[in-house]
């Protein structure tokens, strides 16, 4: 164990933090240590230890109600807002314990972005939807905002479709476009990690393909964790896969290995469609 | 025994009949008021002050008073209603405090307006010493209006889906930022509809005003817009008879020869004003929403 200075924006003040892992290079971007999540008396996630490497896509799979979405929402502390929700264990982001009281949860969410199952555009223009986050976090110059909006929309593969009517309502876009707008909105915050909660489950195949392609592009810059019900999708886009069942993480490994040669019998059954 | 199909037909016919009766009632009522009142409406009628002994008076000051009271009432009640509505919808946990707030709101909303008027008389007019005045009237109307507004605000905020809030939090917005930047704009159409409803009630209210804003209007100088001047229409400490109160008064004690014609004209004008107010508020609401969702 060594003490290092971590000049991270996540902390409210610059503090010395005890980093539990080794040098910067091998340290995972994000890891959980015996993370449990409770809703009142019900335990939704039990003792999950997982590591997420930088610039990789990790897919979380498992049957409905297995706790994968709850686990995902724990990572940027979205569960804080649910009454009666309690967490135990640790989440470390760049070695920083996210549930520590020194941590500013608003900064955490700024760096660990999230996109939801259904597209949730704000009732504002396309431009404002993307620019809103940066404006709130202090970007004032029009030029700078224009650049961020264009950049984010390009990264989300939406720019060419909307560049001529940026100032029209976002509610007029199609579902697939709205979801890519939500991804652009998350990217405008320049997050380090992006959490995707079944981002394509409400979309048609063409839009789904676009979003999958997008994920492949994005992982060059950021770390992605995606919850999906679609096994083919997990196989196509992820580098690593974790299988959840009844609130526990059953197996975690390289995607190819999980799908071709799972260690656990349960995982094999789920992947071959015997558990649904 | 009736077959399901016959029962269905009977129910449909019944519902149509009920709807028809309501429509006919409304049309008859409005038609009667308009047919009797429209001939009275002229520029002279809606701008000149009333006459006490002669015919040919107008309702100019009363019309102005109605709108002025409405604006002041909204100025007083809207911020409070917004605060309370946001609190109840976003922050309140289910405990004795919020339960008692909700019960108070319900009790207040079922208070007869004459009781609100008498309370206003005792408290604002006598105890506070403001006399029969616009300010007393506006405050009494605020008491009368608050419960409805609070519920409207609470309900339109609650109707914004939770996913919108989560999307805000996920961008690192605080709870308050999410409410002001995302939830309130999304709730705006509902808010505007509710405010129109409340405003219509205020505009037509008479009982609560008789004892608070009074039944007379001093001679007003419509060129003097200094709110401190006693003859200024904007002076909040002058008595102010509204359209609804004026109709009530001249029907009871009007001694001008054309009292009933004036009452008819004033009634038509009152309904017309409410109609205009509703339509324009709806229009403004849609315009604001469009502006906000696309810029």
């Amino acid at each position: 164990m060594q003490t290092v200075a971590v000049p991270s924006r996540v902390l409210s003040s610059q503090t010395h933090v005890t980093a539990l892992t080794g040098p910067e290079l091998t340290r995972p971007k994000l890891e959980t240590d015996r993370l449990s999540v409770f809703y009142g008396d019900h335990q939704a996630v039990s003792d999950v230890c997982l590591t997420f490497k930088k610039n990789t896509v990790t897919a979380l799979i498992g049957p409905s109600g297995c706790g994968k979405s709850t686990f995902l929402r724990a990572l940027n502390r979205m569960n804080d807002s649910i009454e009666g929700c309690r967490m135990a264990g640790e989440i470390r982001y760049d070695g920083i314990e996210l549930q520590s009281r020194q941590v500013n949860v608003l900064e955490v969410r700024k760096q660990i972005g999230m996109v939801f199952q259904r597209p949730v555009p704000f009732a504002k223009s396309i431009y404002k939807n993307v620019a809103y986050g940066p404006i709130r976090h202090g970007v004032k110059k029009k030029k700078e905002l224009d650049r961020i909006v264009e950049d984010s929309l390009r990264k989300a593969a939406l720019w060419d479709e909307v560049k001529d009517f940026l100032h029209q309502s976002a509610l007029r876009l199609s579902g697939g476009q709205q979801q890519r707008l939500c991804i652009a909105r998350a990217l405008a915050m320049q997050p380090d990690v992006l959490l995707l909660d079944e981002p394509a489950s409400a979309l048609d195949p063409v839009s789904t393909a676009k979003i999958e392609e997008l994920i492949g592009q994005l992982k060059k810059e950021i770390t992605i964790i995606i919850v999906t019900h679609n096994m083919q999708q997990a196989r196509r886009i992820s580098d690593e896969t974790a299988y959840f069942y009844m609130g526990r993480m059953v197996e975690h490994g390289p995607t190819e290995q999980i799908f071709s040669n799972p260690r656990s019998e349960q995982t094999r059954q789920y992947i071959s469609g015997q558990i649904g | 025994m009736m077959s399901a199909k016959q029962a269905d037909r009977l129910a449909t016919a019944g519902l149509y009949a009920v709807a028809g009766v309501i429509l006919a009632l409304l049309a008859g009522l409005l038609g009667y008021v308009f047919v009797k009142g429209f001939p009275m409406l002229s520029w002279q009628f809606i701008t000149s002050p009333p006459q006490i002994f002669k015919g040919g008076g107008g309702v100019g000051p009363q019309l102005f008073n109605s709108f002025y009271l409405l604006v002041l009432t909204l100025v007083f009640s809207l911020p409070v209603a917004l605060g309370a509505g946001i609190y109840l919808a976003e922050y309140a946990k289910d405990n004795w405090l919020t339960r008692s707030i909700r019960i108070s709101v319900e009790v207040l909303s079922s208070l007869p307006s004459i009781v609100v008027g008498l309370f206003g008389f005792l408290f604002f007019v006598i105890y506070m010493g403001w006399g029969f005045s616009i300010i007393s009237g506006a405050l009494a109307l605020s008491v009368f209006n608050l419960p409805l507004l609070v519920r409207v605000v609470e309900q339109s905020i609650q109707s914004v889906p939770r996913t919108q809030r989560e999307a805000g939090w996920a961008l690192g917005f605080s709870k308050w930022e999410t409410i002001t930047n995302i939830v309130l704009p999304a709730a705006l159409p509902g808010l505007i509809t509710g405010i129109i409803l409340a405003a219509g009630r205020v505009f037509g209210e008479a009982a609560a005003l008789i004892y608070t804003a009074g039944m007379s209007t001093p001679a007003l100088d419509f060129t003097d817009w200094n709110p401190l001047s006693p003859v200024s229409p904007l002076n909040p400490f002058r008595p102010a008879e509204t359209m609804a109160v004026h109709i009530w008064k001249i029907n009871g004690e009007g001694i001008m020869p054309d009292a009933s014609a004036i009452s008819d004209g004033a009634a038509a004008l009152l309904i017309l004003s409410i109609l205009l107010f509703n339509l324009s508020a709806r229009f403004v609401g849609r315009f604001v929403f469009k502006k906000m969702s696309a810029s």
Side-chain angles (χ1 to χ4, degrees), chain A residues 235-252:
Chain A
R235 197 166 188 172
R236 278 193 300 267
I237 61 175
S238 68
D239 304 303
E240 300 201 349
T241 297
Y243 171 62
F244 279 68
Y245 186 66
M246 306 269 283
R248 290 183 186 281
M249 199 272 292
V250 177
E251 185 168 355
H252 173 219

Side-chain angles (χ1 to χ4, degrees), chain B residues 73 108-109 111-114 116-117 138-149 198 201-206 208:
Chain B
T73 303
L108 260 180
S109 72
L111 223 53
S113 57
I114 188 76
V116 174
L139 287 170
L141 283 183
S142 299
V143 171
F144 170 74
N145 202 16
L146 260 178
L148 183 73
L149 269 182
R201 245 165 56 119
V202 164
F203 209 77
E205 178 56 34

Side-chain angles (χ1 to χ4, degrees), chain B residues 41-155:
Chain B
L41 297 187
S42 65
W43 183 245
Q44 190 263 339
F45 179 71
I46 58 178
T47 52
S48 59
Q51 297 287 342
I52 298 174
F53 307 112
K54 308 183 287 183
V59 290
Q62 282 74 17
L63 188 61
F64 175 83
N65 289 343
S66 286
F67 276 105
Y68 191 32
L69 256 169
L70 174 62
V71 169
L72 270 189
T73 303
L74 288 180
V75 166
F76 291 140
S77 53
L78 208 52
V80 180
L82 272 176
I86 291 172
Y87 171 75
L88 287 173
E90 296 282 333
Y91 291 90
K93 295 196 170 69
D94 192 25
N95 56 29
W96 67 268
L97 178 69
T98 58
R99 273 196 296 274
S100 49
I101 292 178
R102 284 210 169 83
I103 290 172
S104 315
V105 167
E106 260 158 49
V107 169
L108 260 180
S109 72
S110 58
L111 223 53
S113 57
I114 188 76
V115 174
V116 174
L118 287 170
F119 162 77
F121 176 70
L122 287 176
F123 190 71
F124 302 124
V125 176
I126 308 238
Y127 183 76
M128 298 302 290
W130 291 330
F132 289 127
S133 61
I134 292 186
I135 190 117
S136 304
L139 287 170
L141 283 183
S142 299
V143 171
F144 170 74
N145 202 16
L146 260 178
L148 183 73
L149 269 182
V150 169
R151 289 182 84 130
V152 161
V153 172
E154 186 189 354
Q155 276 166 8

Side-chain angles (χ1 to χ4, degrees), chain A residues 44-58:
Chain A
V45 173
S46 309
D47 294 327
V48 173
C49 301
L50 256 180
T51 55
F52 302 97
K53 293 192 199 96
K54 204 176 171 199
N55 299 84
T56 54
V57 178
T58 306

Side-chain angles (χ1 to χ4, degrees), chain A residues 91 120-121 253 272:
Chain A
I91 306 166
V120 253
S272 62

Side-chain angles (χ1 to χ4, degrees), chain A residues 73 76 78 81-83 106 109-110 112-114 116 120-125 127-128 132-133 136-137 167-171 185-186 189, chain B residues 91-94 161-175 177-178 180-182 185-186 289-295:
Chain A
R73 293 166 58 92
N76 65 344
M78 280 302 276
S81 62
I82 297 172
E83 221 169 301
L106 301 182
R109 293 188 188 141
K110 195 173 143 191
I112 305 183
M114 185 165 213
F116 301 88
V120 253
F122 300 141
K124 298 178 189 304
S125 69
Y127 184 94
K128 272 253 179 77
Y132 226 39
R136 144 72 178 84
H137 292 287
H167 293 283
Q168 287 189 20
S169 171
L171 303 177
R185 190 169 67 191
M189 308 293 292
Chain B
Y91 291 90
K93 295 196 170 69
D94 192 25
R162 185 182 159 84
T163 52
Q164 287 272 325
R165 295 174 175 79
E166 289 191 333
W169 299 332
L171 287 179
F173 285 30
S174 69
K175 188 165 184 173
E177 284 168 333
T178 305
T180 52
N181 291 317
I182 295 161
F289 187 70
K290 233 186 216 158
K291 255 258 130 82
M292 275 183 16
S293 63
S295 67

